[in-house]
Amino acid sequence: MIRISSKFISFFGVTPDEQYFDEKATEVRYLGQLFSDEVVHDPALMGLTLQERAKVSVGAISYDQLLRDLDIDTSYNTLTQVDMMFAVSVGAIGVLAAHYTNAKSEALEEFFKDIHSKYKLPTGPSPTDYRAGAGHRYVYGHDLNIFQKLPAGHTYNGADVGGQTLYSLVLEQMKVLFPDAGFIGGHVKAILHLLTHYLSDLPTKDGLPLPFSSLFTVWEENLANASGFSARNPLMEALGREYGTINMADISTYATIKIILKGHNLIAFRNKAATNDEQSLHLAQMSTIAYGSAVIMQMLMLLGGIGGRTGKLNYLIACPFVWSSGKIVLISNRQNREIIRDYEKSIAMLDDQSVTFDEWVKSQCV
């Protein structure tokens, strides 16, 4: 209970860091006035510490008060505990968005299928589904590798389609469906066919496999199959749906977190004196916490067997988590180099006898 109370007090009260800077502000004010002869050196105070002498001579000075007295803008937002809690909450909202999207998956699938029907033949499947059966998306046509080729000799409904790329097969269908589309129009229709087909697959349980995972597909002749071939993807077999796919819920999580954090960042730094690096660092820190929290929540749901389809590895937030973490390192290193240069300028100012103490203090804070 004592431990909980101490954490509560440290969160809402004065933290050790705040107390430290308040003490240093008092010392700076005392030394500045001593330097300018506003305060007379009192030999009776020699037995006290610098902090004690400062409090006796100028009273307790807060860090914020010192900055205000020096006309220094204190509006810049640092990452606070409230910000951290907000970022975790945003991650949770992202997971809820994924759960809601999964709950509406059938309606979304039908919506995109209706759009896709305008760009496919009224009979027969799309070339993306020339490999049918369970797990067919894992081996061919669904991983954005539109130039993946079917093996030579591969047949579909008796027609030899071997050696052709997915895109060329789709383009042939579009020429039949839209004979007057022309050269550019045919390619536009082919792209729309693929795009709408992928959109209709995204809301489903299997979603889409990881981009270019079909590079690991292994084709084997099998005369027992109508196509003359059997196929398997060892990578996707190892990863499975939980670790090797992307679905609409993943996109909704990423979009929700991205939009909320971007809006929060714009509001937090509105009319604030902050550099682009400072604003970008704040956003990267918030993003790392939010994306990381969402990844952890979804993985816990997967390991705990709760949440249904929502429990999976979401690459669309795992990758931004890594990206944001890297941005923090890069921006921090750049800022550290600037601090070193400022140290050198600070030392040069201290060596300049014409610079007053207050001018030096102010120069370090602006």
Side-chain angles (χ1 to χ4, degrees):
M1 186 66 185
I2 296 175
R3 184 177 300 176
I4 296 175
S5 298
S6 64
K7 288 185 175 295
F8 182 85
I9 293 172
S10 66
F11 185 86
F12 290 100
V14 178
T15 65
D17 283 345
E18 292 173 340
Q19 181 179 350
Y20 171 81
F21 281 106
D22 287 344
E23 291 175 352
K24 294 305 172 186
T26 303
E27 293 173 7
V28 166
R29 173 61 59 81
Y30 168 66
L31 292 173
Q33 292 187 3
L34 191 65
F35 182 81
S36 61
D37 295 328
E38 295 179 50
V39 172
V40 179
H41 180 69
D42 187 353
L45 302 179
M46 286 300 294
L48 302 179
T49 64
L50 175 60
Q51 175 62 210
E52 291 169 339
R53 294 200 305 271
K55 282 187 176 180
V56 171
S57 301
V58 299
I61 304 296
S62 70
Y63 182 71
D64 289 338
Q65 180 183 341
L66 176 66
L67 296 181
R68 285 194 298 270
D69 292 345
L70 293 172
D71 296 325
I72 295 170
D73 189 348
T74 61
S75 60
Y76 167 63
N77 287 352
T78 57
L79 191 69
T80 65
Q81 288 178 309
V82 174
D83 288 332
M84 296 178 194
M85 291 179 64
F86 177 76
V88 173
S89 300
V90 172
I93 292 172
V95 175
L96 289 175
H99 187 75
Y100 179 79
T101 302
N102 283 328
K104 299 294 182 181
S105 60
E106 292 184 4
L108 288 169
E109 182 183 1
E110 289 303 317
F111 173 76
F112 288 117
K113 274 186 174 181
D114 183 59
I115 298 176
H116 179 57
S117 65
K118 297 177 175 60
Y119 301 100
K120 69 184 292 291
L121 294 175
T123 59
S126 162
T128 56
D129 290 328
Y130 276 4
R131 288 296 307 178
H136 71 281
R137 298 178 190 175
Y138 296 170
V139 296
Y140 174 77
H142 290 79
D143 66 332
L144 307 184
N145 182 10
I146 61 175
F147 297 108
Q148 180 187 10
K149 290 184 178 181
L150 290 168
H154 190 288
T155 61
Y156 186 79
N157 281 347
D160 185 358
V161 292
Q164 298 188 61
T165 65
L166 169 63
Y167 186 76
S168 64
L169 291 170
V170 171
L171 189 59
E172 285 181 8
Q173 277 200 3
M174 294 304 99
K175 289 179 180 178
V176 174
L177 185 60
F178 302 101
D180 299 325
F183 177 79
I184 296 177
H187 285 281
V188 171
K189 301 297 185 184
I191 293 172
L192 289 173
H193 173 96
L194 290 166
L195 179 62
T196 55
H197 184 91
Y198 292 150
L199 285 173
S200 67
D201 282 343
L202 274 171
T204 64
K205 184 176 181 179
D206 285 337
L208 296 177
L210 294 178
F212 297 95
S213 57
S214 64
L215 295 174
F216 294 87
T217 295
V218 178
W219 299 90
E220 297 176 351
E221 283 194 60
N222 186 349
L223 299 181
N225 290 339
S227 65
F229 286 85
S230 60
R232 56 187 294 267
N233 189 321
L235 174 66
M236 292 304 301
E237 289 174 3
L239 294 176
R241 178 184 64 80
E242 294 81 3
Y243 295 95
T245 62
I246 297 171
N247 58 35
M248 188 69 74
D250 296 341
I251 297 174
S252 68
T253 301
Y254 169 75
T256 299
I257 294 175
K258 181 77 173 180
I259 292 171
I260 294 176
L261 289 183
K262 189 64 177 178
H264 174 267
N265 187 257
L266 292 174
I267 294 172
F269 285 86
R270 182 182 55 187
N271 300 325
K272 300 293 178 68
T275 64
N276 289 335
D277 267 357
E278 290 168 341
Q279 187 169 353
S280 297
L281 178 61
H282 193 277
L283 179 59
Q285 291 170 329
M286 295 284 286
S287 299
T288 300
I289 296 171
Y291 290 129
S293 299
V295 168
I296 292 172
M297 291 175 196
Q298 288 193 263
M299 290 303 296
L300 288 176
M301 294 171 73
L302 172 61
L303 298 175
I306 59 176
R309 294 164 51 184
T310 307
K312 68 185 294 289
L313 177 57
N314 187 341
Y315 288 95
L316 295 187
I317 56 175
C319 291
F321 166 75
V322 175
W323 174 261
S324 298
S325 301
K327 283 187 68 175
I328 292 174
V329 174
L330 294 175
I331 295 174
S332 297
N333 285 339
R334 185 161 59 243
Q335 289 180 332
N336 286 337
R337 288 195 298 269
E338 293 175 357
I339 289 173
I340 292 174
R341 288 195 294 268
D342 288 341
Y343 279 159
E344 294 173 349
K345 290 173 60 178
S346 174
I347 294 172
M349 288 188 69
L350 287 173
D351 290 337
D352 188 348
Q353 299 298 323
S354 64
V355 177
T356 66
F357 188 79
D358 280 353
E359 289 175 340
W360 175 82
V361 171
K362 187 171 183 178
S363 71
Q364 306 312 302
C365 301
V366 294

